[in-house]
Amino acid sequence: MPDLLMPDVLAPLLKGTIFTEHIHHYHKIGSTNTTAMEAAAAGAVEGTVFIAEQQSAGRGRGANTWHSEQSTGIYCSVILRPALPPSAVLVLTLATGLAVHAAVQQIDLHLTPDLKWPNDGLLHGKKFCGILTEMNAEATRVRYIVVGIGINVNHTTFPEELRPIATSLRLMTGAEWSRVELCAALLKSLDREYQSLLKQPDAHGSILRRFQERSSSVRGKDVYIEEHPELDGLTAGLDERGFLQIRTARGLETVLSGTVRFR
Amino acid sequence: MNQKELKELIELVIEKGIAEFELERGDVKVRIKRAVNSAAQAPEIPTVIVQTAGPAAQETGAAPAPAAPQPPSPPSKQTAASADDRLHTVRSPIVGTFYESPSPGSPPFVKPGDVVELGQVLCIVEAMKLMNEIESDVAGEIVKRLVNNGQPIEYGQELFVIRPAK
């Protein structure tokens, strides 16, 4: 049975969210994030969704590309236009990780993804999900944000070089997943996190608290930051803005960005 | 008093247009005096004197020494502040890491001397994998970049000086 992420299949499952009206589906695309950013710059409305069966230039960390196979993963980007200052939306990457966590658990309660600060979803230490958030903002006002999510769903194998670090939901559970069901669950939880960030005064604190509950590595793990090797020590939780803290030989230091590597 | 506090103090003094400022706290005595040159385009150059006695000396010994205009490193708000109203400064709306180009190894978005349009992307500031495109809020010529590629920057930190087109 085909499991294509067609708009007319997804839309009815997304009732009550901001994502029902404008779903764009591509069989193959360079990068859903790039397309979404261009569309947002051209005026596309909040809630516009870009989904691809395959990406030819999906962007991973730095210059890395995201491994993509036809109709096996979820490659999805959404446009948001929150009436918030840029500093208030920094936690969106963390909130998106929570949305992925919730979507996976909604379908398989026994699977417990581990969130790695700031933007990776892991299963048994291997990456199955990546998040890339891009924003265009004035000093005090966000114009638009594109949240991009890549999930390895039904991959049964990976290229040699990725095997030690990548996995898929299917490889972890031994069963084929419905991408439609997972994608709908994902967009619904993302909508829930986003609405709460807009409307609930305590949403920010709740995101930080829940992220720390679902991340085994934000506290007490011996790590260093790949791009800043001098940031080296035991993780000491997130600060009130969502930045990772590391207790180094020089004292408590804050990590604004970078890749956490375990010792 | 640490380097960050001292920097904030200097910024406050510049921002409020205070000519001379003295602070005594415990063993630390700070005196900031600005040499305001009335000639057009001359940047304001504050003079900072930090006197310390006792254990605080080590920490404040690293106080930044503001100097006349210099290349992009190190970032120094004092040199960026310009008495020339015609120059425009672009600031960062978030805390994060400054990136001059869209991906490692690719050419920078802009460099000094480039003429930019209103809304043109100047750089990316990244925090927690949130990539923030910083656009120019004026059309004009890039006079100076005030931060280095990969450098951590604070909220509101000055990134570029632009001479707006007439």
Side-chain angles (χ1 to χ4, degrees):
Chain A
M1 190 173 145
D3 184 34
L4 297 185
L5 299 165
M6 302 307 287
D8 55 345
V9 177
L10 276 174
L13 304 173
L14 297 172
K15 278 211 179 88
T17 76
I18 58 170
F19 300 123
T20 54
E21 294 291 318
H22 304 276
I23 304 174
H24 300 276
H25 175 263
Y26 304 84
H27 286 283
K28 189 165 184 172
I29 196 172
S31 144
T32 54
N33 253 52
T34 303
T35 303
M37 282 297 278
E38 287 166 5
V45 297
E46 168 160 279
T48 306
V49 180
F50 298 83
I51 297 176
E53 299 293 330
Q54 187 175 17
Q55 292 190 113
S56 56
R59 285 180 289 157
R61 182 170 55 84
N64 297 349
T65 56
W66 185 269
H67 174 69
S68 169
E69 267 175 58
Q70 181 75 36
S71 302
T72 46
I74 290 176
Y75 313 105
C76 174
S77 299
V78 302
I79 296 174
L80 304 175
R81 295 182 179 275
L84 292 170
S87 54
V89 299
L90 279 183
V91 291
L92 250 182
T93 299
L94 306 182
T96 306
L98 291 171
V100 172
H101 191 282
V104 167
Q105 288 222 312
Q106 189 181 323
I107 292 168
D108 188 340
L109 246 181
H110 303 294
L111 211 50
T112 308
D114 188 3
L115 302 177
K116 177 166 166 257
W117 186 91
N119 68 329
D120 289 340
L122 308 181
L123 287 165
H124 292 280
K126 293 182 176 184
K127 183 163 166 171
F128 79 100
C129 164
I131 295 159
L132 179 64
T133 317
E134 295 183 83
M135 166 164 79
N136 181 293
E138 294 168 18
T140 56
R141 187 179 74 95
V142 173
R143 286 207 203 95
Y144 50 85
I145 297 181
V146 166
V147 178
I149 302 155
I151 302 180
N152 299 333
V153 185
N154 288 323
H155 300 62
T156 50
T157 183
F158 286 95
E160 187 79 43
E161 70 276 14
L162 291 179
R163 266 175 227 163
I165 54 170
T167 190
S168 73
L169 294 168
R170 180 171 180 168
L171 283 172
M172 281 293 135
T173 58
E176 185 159 350
W177 284 52
S178 159
R179 288 186 309 139
V180 166
E181 200 185 342
L182 181 61
C183 189
L186 170 65
L187 289 172
K188 277 157 98 173
S189 8
L190 185 59
D191 181 74
R192 203 159 47 234
E193 291 291 345
Y194 180 58
Q195 297 304 331
S196 136
L197 188 63
L198 291 181
K199 292 166 190 162
Q200 306 291 332
D202 63 342
H204 192 96
S206 160
I207 290 167
L208 299 185
R209 181 178 50 74
R210 287 179 294 135
F211 189 92
Q212 297 188 80
E213 285 169 7
R214 289 158 180 72
S215 173
S216 69
S217 54
V218 292
R219 214 174 274 281
K221 280 281 186 320
D222 194 1
V223 303
Y224 66 98
I225 302 302
E226 187 174 278
E227 296 83 350
H228 306 278
E230 75 281 4
L231 291 171
D232 177 341
L234 289 186
T235 53
L238 304 182
D239 76 1
E240 74 283 357
R241 297 169 299 181
F243 294 126
L244 181 65
Q245 300 182 103
I246 296 182
R247 197 166 294 287
T248 72
R250 294 172 300 280
L252 197 61
E253 299 204 43
T254 304
V255 187
L256 304 180
S257 58
T259 306
V260 177
R261 295 275 174 216
F262 300 111
R263 287 271 176 222
Chain B
M1 174 174 287
N2 63 29
Q3 193 166 334
K4 183 165 174 284
E5 286 173 305
L6 187 63
K7 186 164 169 278
E8 283 171 1
L9 193 60
I10 294 167
E11 285 165 4
L12 183 74
V13 167
I14 292 173
E15 192 188 321
K16 300 293 179 198
I18 299 164
E20 199 164 341
F21 178 86
E22 264 188 69
L23 170 79
E24 254 185 284
R25 195 195 286 170
D27 290 328
V28 182
K29 187 175 175 185
V30 178
R31 181 158 169 259
I32 303 173
K33 190 178 177 189
R34 288 163 69 228
V36 182
N37 192 333
S38 59
Q41 297 202 18
E44 297 170 342
I45 305 167
T47 320
V48 183
I49 301 161
V50 181
Q51 292 174 347
T52 56
Q58 271 189 330
E59 197 184 356
T60 49
Q70 52 187 309
S73 61
S76 160
K77 193 158 183 169
Q78 303 87 286
T79 57
S82 173
D84 186 345
D85 288 343
R86 286 174 299 168
L87 291 184
H88 176 83
T89 308
V90 177
R91 293 166 185 268
S92 177
I94 58 166
V95 173
T97 304
F98 176 91
Y99 292 110
E100 62 176 0
S101 60
S103 58
S106 62
F109 289 105
V110 294
K111 55 187 188 305
D114 283 1
V115 173
V116 296
E117 314 252 324
L118 178 70
Q120 186 171 335
V121 175
L122 302 176
C123 63
I124 285 174
V125 176
E126 187 241 315
M128 286 191 263
K129 281 290 133 86
L130 191 152
M131 308 288 168
N132 186 11
E133 289 183 343
I134 309 291
E135 290 182 357
S136 183
D137 46 359
V138 292
E141 184 199 338
I142 305 282
V143 176
K144 201 173 190 183
R145 191 183 78 185
L146 303 165
V147 288
N148 291 319
N149 196 35
Q151 182 187 320
I153 56 172
E154 290 297 322
Y155 170 78
Q157 187 165 339
E158 299 179 337
L159 305 176
F160 290 93
V161 176
I162 296 179
R163 181 175 291 113
K166 299 212 167 56

